[in-house]
Amino acid sequence: MQGGHDIDLRQLRCLVAIVDEGTFTDAAIALGVSQAAVSRTLASLERALGVRLLRRTSREVTPTAAGVRVVAQARRVLADVSGLVREATSGHTRLRVGYAWSALGRHTVAFQRRWSAAHGDTDLYLVRVNSPSAGLAEGACDLAVVRRPQDDRRFDTAIVGLERRMCALAADDRFARRRSVRLAELTDRVLLVDRRTGTATPELWPPDARPAVEETHDVDDWLTVIAAGRGFGVTAEATAYQYPRPGVVYRPVRDAEPVAVRLAWWRDDPHPALQTVLELLTELYRTG
C-alpha cells in the first residue's frame, strides 16, 4: 500500500459520486467531467490504497467490502472539510460568545433579544467553555466574556461592566438569614474555588486571615458542595442569576471589590461584530 499522502479530496469525491449515482456515466455528469476522467481518478485511488473499491459489471457498480468502509470514511472526511470551509467563511453570519460560568447574568436575555432584533442577519450563539479564556483559545468562540484578567498576549480585552461579589451559602446556613456578609465573617470556613476560571481566591482576605481552600472544577460541582454545607463560594453576581439552585442562597459581600466583566477577542483577528457587541454590553451594564 502506498502512503495516505497520495490521496486527495478529488478522488474521494469521485468515489462517493460513483456510489451515489450508480454508474460512471452518471457520476461524470454529476461531477462535470468526462467518464474517462472518472475511471482514471478511481483507478488512482485504488492504487494509492492498494485495494479494490468497486465491482463494475455491465449493469451496475457496487462497492467491495473494503469499498464500503472507505466510502463511509470518505463521507466523513468530505463532511469535515465542508465544515472547515463553513467555519472559515462564516465570520459575518455567525457570532459565538463564550463564557466560563455565567454569561451576562441578568443581562443575558436582554443581550440575546436586542441582538436578534437589531442584527438578525448574524446568528448569535452563547457557548459555555470552562477554560481561562472561556473558549477563545480553543477556537470554540469568536468573543468571550471573562471575569479574570487575561495574561495571553494573543488577546485584547475591554471592561464592559462591574458586578457585585456574592457569597453562596447553604440555605440552612446561619448567615442565610442575613441581608449581606463581610469577608472577615467567613475566615473560619472552607472556600470553594475553581482555579481555572473562578473569580474567588484566598487573596481576597488579608494574609493572616485567609480561609481554608477546597478546589472544585465546575459550577455544578461547586453548587452541589455548597448545598451540602461543606463550604461556601464567592462569585460574581451573574452566577446568582444564571444558577439559582434549591438549597443554595446568595448574599452580597459588603466589603469585597466588585468583579470586572471583560469582553475578550483575538488581537490579530477580531470578529466584525466586535465594536457593536462592546457598545451593546457596555450600555446594558451602564443602564441595568
Side-chain angles (χ1 to χ4, degrees), residues 1-279:
M1 180 187 296
Q2 298 181 27
H5 62 273
D6 294 321
I7 299 171
D8 59 39
L9 296 177
R10 176 178 55 86
Q11 293 169 320
L12 299 183
R13 292 192 183 99
C14 179
L15 173 64
V16 171
I18 295 170
V19 173
D20 287 348
E21 301 299 329
T23 69
F24 280 58
T25 300
D26 290 336
I29 294 172
L31 295 170
V33 300
S34 68
Q35 184 174 334
V38 169
S39 297
R40 287 194 301 270
T41 302
L42 175 66
S44 68
L45 177 59
E46 290 181 326
R47 284 195 303 272
L49 294 175
V51 294
R52 187 178 181 188
L53 300 174
L54 300 176
R55 293 189 184 91
R56 184 179 183 184
T57 69
S58 59
R59 290 181 298 180
E60 63 180 0
V61 176
T62 58
T64 64
V68 170
R69 296 192 299 271
V70 173
V71 167
Q73 186 66 30
R75 293 189 193 280
R76 288 192 287 270
V77 170
L78 293 173
D80 287 344
V81 171
S82 295
L84 183 151
V85 172
R86 288 194 300 272
E87 182 73 23
T89 59
S90 63
H92 293 268
T93 61
R94 181 184 65 174
L95 172 61
R96 302 167 302 166
V97 178
Y99 65 97
W101 274 43
S102 48
L104 298 161
R106 60 196 173 111
H107 304 301
T108 302
V109 172
F111 173 56
Q112 292 173 296
R113 291 185 174 178
R114 289 179 62 171
W115 183 269
S116 178
H119 309 284
D121 55 337
T122 301
D123 294 329
L124 172 66
Y125 301 92
L126 298 183
V127 183
R128 182 176 164 226
V129 181
N130 197 41
S131 76
S133 68
L136 202 58
E138 294 79 5
C141 61
D142 308 298
L143 305 173
V145 176
V146 295
R147 291 175 173 82
R148 290 167 50 153
Q150 295 294 299
D151 298 327
D152 195 322
R153 296 179 62 84
R154 296 176 297 173
F155 307 139
D156 274 336
T157 65
I159 295 176
V160 296
L162 300 174
E163 293 173 345
R164 293 184 299 171
R165 289 190 193 267
M166 308 291 285
C167 179
L169 301 158
D172 59 354
D173 189 282
R174 62 190 176 93
F175 286 159
R177 296 187 296 272
R178 300 262 298 271
R179 296 182 62 181
S180 64
V181 298
R182 294 181 180 275
L183 289 172
E185 296 173 315
L186 303 167
T187 57
D188 60 345
R189 297 169 175 242
V190 175
L191 172 66
L192 302 169
V193 301
D194 182 336
R195 296 191 188 278
R196 291 180 301 167
T197 60
T199 57
T201 69
E203 284 70 32
L204 289 171
W205 285 263
D208 58 345
R210 289 173 178 169
V213 171
E214 180 178 324
E215 190 165 355
T216 59
H217 303 286
D218 183 85
V219 64
D220 289 317
D221 179 25
W222 183 80
L223 288 166
T224 298
V225 177
I226 291 172
R230 290 164 40 203
F232 75 99
V234 174
T235 186
E237 186 175 5
T239 307
Y241 286 93
Q242 196 88 355
Y243 296 102
R245 175 71 64 91
V248 175
V249 298
Y250 297 91
R251 295 292 180 263
V253 183
R254 293 176 59 185
D255 55 345
E257 291 292 323
V259 177
V261 183
R262 294 173 169 88
L263 189 68
W265 62 91
W266 282 91
R267 178 173 298 178
D268 62 353
D269 187 25
H271 191 279
L274 169 62
Q275 191 58 39
T276 304
V277 175
L278 275 173
E279 293 172 0

